[in-house]
Amino acid sequence: MKMEKNGTAEIRVDGKTLTYPVYEGTEGERAIDISKLRKETGLITYDSGFMNTGSCASDITFIDGEKGILRYRGYDVADLAEKCEFIEVAYLLVHGSLPTAVQKDRYSQLLNQHSMIHEDMKDFFSNYPEHSHPMAILSAMAVSLSSFYPELGQDVKEDLDMTVTRLISKLRTIAAFSYKKSIGEPTIYPRHDLKYCENFLNMMFSSPVRKEPINPVMADALNKLLIIHADHEQNCSTSVVRGVGSSGINLYASIAAGICALWGPRHGGANQHVIEMLEEIYREGGDVSKVIERAKNPRSPFRLMGFGHRVYKSYDPRAKIAKELCKKVIAATNTKDPLLDIAQELEERALNDSYFQERNLYPNVDFYTGLTYREMGIPTNMFTVMFAIGRLPGWIAQWLEMNNSETPIARPRQVYTGPNLRKVTPIAKRK
Ligand SMILES: CC(C)(COP(=O)(O)OP(=O)(O)OC[C@H]1O[C@@H](n2cnc3c(N)ncnc32)[C@H](O)[C@@H]1OP(=O)(O)O)[C@@H](O)C(=O)NCCC(=O)NCCS
């Protein structure tokens, strides 16, 4: 769908008034089109972190951060999480509509057909040093896929569909293999008789000598966790995927760049840091006060992990789903995790503290997802990998949209603040 022109905005620069069109999206967000600003005035806009900049028009995901709304292709994320499997949501994001039962079966078969990785790629795993972070392996493997499947072009729809299917299926296999490498166990191949999430759990937890039964509560939780991560409009890693892709490079390389962006502690890496923070509180006796005070201290760079969000200034709708999932998984495993009690206390204390209230800081998606993965037996350093598997269809959908819309190469400007022109002093005379 196209943005509709809906009004104009006047900008007064150096005594001259310029008029620019205002466009409106389907949910009413309005944007001033300043694409002619520099040409007409010599000025650029300054918007560090792009907090006010719309970098594209997109049909894929709608977020209202004030109201806590997240929709993919018009469907509410909670509705999708309740009624769909992850591969249906992946299909929705990539193709624009939910699959019929026949389409879903075909898609599932196709994903299974492409689930193995080239045998030579398996050697890569053995050469990584012990304790390599699986995100480093995942990003390297994603870009390496372009060497193993180089014959596919980017302009032929069928070729691109094949690349998309390969990525969605193989990234999950690579993720499970990287985990097996980290624990020194042989890899387990994907199976054609298992569904997407069950297959992943099997590759993670079975071994050649022991077939681990798949708990349906865990498979359901995994489907839901992947769904709530599946897209989030122009976040850091998605902007990276679009930006890198705008240079004309292939989908694999763009996704590898997105994986690297997601790794950061202020982005997808936060779920790992939430658990580390909760473990530290537990080790120190369970009192959450110290952590709250550290987070509030303006002289400390420490932030309460899993709290706050660039877009959500109310409760993150994904955090609500994750909190309920976490409790369900804990009930199914019949365990008691002291970290859940600490997390709930931390949340309650923060939500009642004026520092967090005034800044609209609420739990984000990472606050409860780490705990849920932990209960499912997924180790901490795999959390961000799980996020990447979930986010993959979103990255792909965003990349395809960018690729189909003749997007110019991403190339922001800057305000230069360095030295003015100076002469090079010959080295012998430099002090
Ligand atoms: C996600 C995040 C980067 C968003 O940042 P942002 O929208 O740019 O917000 P800002 O950095 O402008 O923060 C606004 C204010 O809230 C404070 N703040 C933001 N998140 C905070 C947190 N988690 N703990 C303590 N204070 C926080 C900032 O220090 C700032 O305070 P100030 O106005 O006194 O300077 C930030 O909230 C954060 O670092 N959270 C922790 C990491 C995390 O969970 N990331 C996952 C995101 S899904």
Side-chain angles (χ1 to χ4, degrees), residues 122-366:
K122 270 184 69 190
D123 295 340
F124 292 179
F125 291 93
S126 51
N127 290 319
Y128 272 93
E130 226 182 295
H131 307 306
S132 297
H133 198 289
M135 284 298 272
I137 302 180
L138 196 72
S139 58
M141 292 291 179
V143 75
S144 302
L145 286 171
S146 66
S147 310
F148 285 87
Y149 305 97
E151 73 279 15
L152 299 184
Q154 275 181 213
D155 304 324
V156 183
K157 192 182 169 304
E158 290 70 31
D159 281 2
L160 256 179
D161 279 353
M162 184 53 68
T163 301
V164 167
T165 307
R166 281 177 173 156
L167 255 170
I168 293 181
S169 193
K170 291 182 200 304
L171 202 79
R172 165 200 55 171
T173 307
I174 290 169
F177 281 18
S178 69
Y179 168 64
K180 287 294 193 189
K181 155 75 193 167
S182 74
I183 57 167
E185 275 191 17
T187 49
I188 297 296
Y189 285 112
R191 276 175 30 197
H192 281 194
D193 59 323
L194 292 177
K195 290 171 149 192
Y196 190 90
C197 287
E198 282 83 349
N199 226 331
F200 178 75
L201 293 173
N202 185 56
M203 286 190 278
M204 287 283 290
F205 300 121
S206 282
S207 81
V209 292
R210 179 184 34 82
K211 201 169 148 197
E212 192 68 29
I214 297 154
N215 183 333
V217 177
M218 302 303 158
D220 181 59
L222 182 57
N223 264 299
K224 291 182 167 48
L225 285 166
L226 296 182
I227 289 172
I228 63 174
H229 287 94
D231 195 43
H232 216 232
E233 52 122 298
Q234 307 313 315
N235 57 83
C236 177
S237 56
T238 303
S239 303
V240 164
V241 169
R242 277 185 176 257
V244 170
S246 75
S247 75
I249 196 59
N250 62 64
L251 181 58
Y252 299 116
S254 308
I255 296 299
I259 293 171
C260 292
L262 187 74
W263 192 0
R266 288 192 173 184
H267 194 9
N271 54 14
Q272 173 170 345
H273 291 267
V274 170
I275 293 295
E276 286 162 4
M277 177 182 75
L278 296 174
E279 281 174 343
E280 191 186 319
I281 299 172
Y282 179 67
R283 272 195 309 273
E284 290 179 3
D287 181 10
V288 300
S289 314
K290 262 203 270 171
V291 166
I292 299 255
E293 288 317 309
R294 251 174 90 203
K296 286 162 56 174
N297 182 350
R299 285 180 302 280
S300 161
F302 176 78
R303 286 182 169 195
L304 202 58
M305 283 293 131
F307 255 76
H309 197 273
R310 170 59 60 83
V311 179
Y312 293 117
K313 301 303 170 195
S314 61
Y315 211 102
D316 183 336
R318 303 166 301 170
K320 265 187 214 153
I321 299 171
K323 188 174 177 179
E324 288 318 304
L325 272 180
C326 183
K327 289 182 186 167
K328 252 193 208 165
V329 167
I330 288 180
T333 49
N334 234 345
T335 50
K336 187 165 164 25
D337 189 342
L339 295 198
L340 176 64
D341 297 335
I342 293 174
Q344 285 181 315
E345 196 189 336
L346 198 57
E347 177 188 345
E348 201 186 311
R349 288 279 295 279
L351 292 181
N352 288 305
D353 188 303
S354 59
Y355 173 93
F356 295 90
Q357 287 169 345
E358 281 157 18
R359 290 167 181 75
N360 294 318
L361 300 170
Y362 294 85
N364 60 46
V365 67
D366 296 308

Side-chain angles (χ1 to χ4, degrees), residues 114-125:
H114 293 281
S115 56
M116 290 214 292
I117 57 170
H118 196 290
E119 274 300 294
D120 290 349
M121 279 189 91
K122 270 184 69 190
D123 295 340
F124 292 179
F125 291 93

